[in-house]
Amino acid sequence: MGSSSLNSYILGLISEISEAAKALPSDPFEDDQARKRLHAVAQKLAGALEAPIDTIRKMNHQPQTLAICRTAIKGGWFKALADGDNQKTATELANVTGAERGLIVRLFRVLTAVGIVAEVGQETYASTSVTIALTHPSIYSSVENFGGESLCVFAGLPDYLVQNNYRMPSDPSKAPFVNVYGKRYFDYLKDNSTRGSNFNVFMEGQREGKKNWLDIYPLQDRLAPGLEKDQRAVLMVDVGGGVGHDLRDFGNRRGSMPGRLVLQDLPAVISEVDSSKEPVVEAMAYDYYTPQPIEGARAYYFRSVFHSWNDEISQKILKNQMSAMKRGYSRLLINENILRDSESPLSAATSDVLMMAFFGGIERTETQWHQLLDSVGLKIVGIWVMEEGAESIIEADFRD
């Protein structure tokens, strides 16, 4: 792009920013769509003003930022900074946490440069909204997840792809994660209880800042008509549902719809379910590689399951559910990303590569979802979009 063309492009983006800003309410976070539109244009402007070498340097520094955040989380630095008075010196933080003052100063230089911590004076710091967010378990568990195993796996990805002639990994037993850790990811979590617990908290934290699927899926319209009135019947089975966050949300919003709520996951996960929480759910150890034991439920719900697996394994999981579904009554609900064919959001695009590296899995486009479900005799009867190009609800039924 020539200098005159670049100048015109920048002026055009500034005009777009001005127009997008007019749509913002006084609190930008009240209108997520307007905020994200303005943010997207602002990022384009920042990119246009950034020299290529600066973009590359920023990319090169990202692993450092993740590692430093993990250090600050593990050392209790963010919590110490956010507690009590809003400002603290490096010496005060060192006294509270036991860390060396000089180390805090050096690492906080990076965090203040990227806006995670505010520098309000020489060796004096204040928390930001990001600092405070990083004191919440559901948030800092994501940093631990991506800054731990993910960094190691992606550090080895280039050599892995060279060795495999630049072919996409699809066999979960030979995925890049296995190449680094010697076992499949969920086997690794089972053998490392601390990492497994962190993963469960991380999965709950994935919902932070996002719409709830029940905000966009017309629950009463789709499931209430023709519903069996027997309280002993099963209303919802949450397959691979972790510790039950989504299922309990569903239970709180089902209104007068009767029926049992069944939560299924592997034994190690089910052992962490808090049975005292309301609404009551029935926790059942279950491996979705085996036939579904709960027959004739109104809905079988999957959240973030199929993106972990290639089509062959996904077909097996689907068929195991279909054997229990009641024709003309049961529904399959899938809460997953639906990628755009072009201009995919960064979060969805990176999730796709993460699934490939950890499991040989894939985030699918709408066309790929149709193909997968059609291959086992199912059809999509509705799609409800939570975020364009990303998380959506797919409702599927028997094709014939």
Side-chain angles (χ1 to χ4, degrees):
M1 188 182 294
S3 57
S4 60
S5 298
L6 178 59
N7 187 59
S8 297
Y9 177 65
I10 289 172
L11 291 175
L13 289 174
I14 292 172
S15 177
E16 280 190 58
I17 287 173
S18 178
E19 288 300 311
K22 293 176 183 177
L24 280 182
S26 55
D27 180 357
F29 289 90
E30 288 181 357
D31 188 337
D32 208 43
Q33 186 173 358
R35 178 185 65 80
K36 286 184 176 180
R37 178 171 176 261
L38 177 57
H39 183 256
V41 182
Q43 281 189 313
K44 287 183 180 179
L45 178 60
L49 294 170
E50 194 170 65
I53 189 61
D54 292 331
T55 303
I56 293 167
R57 284 171 179 157
K58 185 168 64 177
M59 175 185 69
N60 291 342
H61 296 155
Q62 287 174 346
Q64 290 184 34
T65 304
L66 257 179
I68 292 168
C69 277
R70 287 186 70 203
T71 301
I73 290 167
K74 288 177 177 292
W77 301 0
F78 291 144
K79 186 177 186 304
L81 183 59
D83 282 348
D85 294 336
N86 189 42
Q87 296 184 13
K88 289 185 175 67
T89 65
T91 298
E92 289 170 332
L93 289 171
N95 290 337
V96 171
T97 65
E100 185 180 355
R101 179 198 61 79
L103 179 65
I104 292 173
V105 171
R106 294 177 73 178
L107 298 194
F108 268 21
R109 285 184 187 133
V110 176
L111 299 186
T112 57
V114 296
I116 293 174
V117 171
E119 188 172 21
V120 295
Q122 185 174 351
E123 294 189 13
T124 306
Y125 311 100
S127 60
T128 66
S129 58
V130 181
T131 314
I132 294 169
L134 285 167
T135 65
H136 299 161
S138 61
I139 301 297
Y140 67 63
S141 64
S142 68
V143 177
E144 184 63 24
N145 189 71
F146 285 104
E149 292 84 2
S150 294
L151 271 183
C152 294
V153 171
F154 281 109
L157 183 62
D159 288 339
Y160 174 95
L161 293 175
V162 168
Q163 293 164 8
N164 288 275
N165 298 314
Y166 295 101
R167 298 294 183 267
M168 291 188 297
S170 60
D171 183 345
S173 67
K174 298 178 182 178
F177 183 93
V178 178
N179 196 51
V180 174
Y181 286 95
K183 60 183 70 176
R184 297 189 189 191
Y185 182 61
F186 289 116
D187 291 332
Y188 169 82
L189 294 183
K190 184 171 64 176
D191 295 340
N192 294 268
S193 59
T194 301
R195 305 304 292 170
S197 296
N198 181 81
F199 176 78
N200 291 334
V201 176
F202 159 66
M203 288 303 294
E204 289 199 25
Q206 288 284 78
R207 302 167 178 84
E208 294 285 341
K210 293 182 178 180
K211 289 181 180 178
N212 188 300
W213 71 281
L214 295 164
D215 291 334
I216 58 107
Y217 179 72
L219 191 62
Q220 297 295 328
D221 291 344
R222 302 302 301 176
L223 300 183
L227 179 66
E228 294 179 1
K229 302 303 181 183
D230 187 349
Q231 290 285 356
R232 295 170 298 177
V234 177
L235 174 59
M236 171 79 84
V237 182
D238 188 350
V239 186
V243 294
H245 183 95
D246 277 22
L247 188 59
R248 286 197 168 94
D249 276 353
F250 174 86
N252 285 326
R253 298 204 197 187
R254 66 172 167 174
S256 60
M257 288 192 291
R260 294 150 53 204
L261 306 177
V262 178
L263 174 67
Q264 296 178 332
D265 214 307
L266 296 174
V269 179
I270 291 298
S271 68
E272 295 193 10
V273 175
D274 185 350
S275 58
S276 67
K277 283 186 177 181
E278 294 288 340
V280 174
V281 301
E282 299 175 30
M284 172 188 291
Y286 168 65
D287 183 343
Y288 48 58
Y289 288 133
T290 63
Q292 171 61 251
I294 302 296
E295 297 183 350
R298 181 58 161 157
Y300 297 85
Y301 173 77
F302 288 80
R303 182 181 185 274
S304 301
V305 169
F306 294 104
H307 70 171
S308 299
W309 309 115
N310 61 33
D311 282 357
E312 181 181 357
I313 295 174
S314 294
Q315 288 165 345
K316 181 177 180 179
I317 296 169
L318 287 166
K319 289 176 181 177
N320 282 333
Q321 309 313 306
M322 293 168 66
S323 65
M325 291 170 64
K326 181 179 178 181
R327 285 181 178 271
Y329 181 74
S330 298
R331 292 289 185 272
L332 189 71
L333 300 179
I334 300 172
N335 184 342
E336 294 252 5
N337 286 335
I338 299 181
L339 296 184
R340 294 176 186 162
D341 289 325
S342 60
E343 296 186 352
S344 176
L346 178 62
S347 60
T350 54
S351 179
D352 178 42
V353 179
L354 181 75
M355 293 304 108
M356 179 185 73
F358 270 50
F359 309 103
I362 180 174
E363 299 284 8
R364 295 173 172 87
T365 65
E366 183 174 339
T367 297
Q368 289 171 319
W369 276 113
H370 277 283
Q371 291 170 342
L372 172 63
L373 293 168
D374 182 72
S375 71
V376 294
L378 293 171
K379 64 180 179 181
I380 293 177
V381 296
I383 295 176
W384 292 264
V385 178
M386 281 188 277
E387 184 178 348
E388 187 65 34
E391 198 167 356
S392 302
I393 302 298
I394 300 170
E395 181 182 324
D397 194 2
F398 287 101
R399 190 176 57 218
D400 300 317

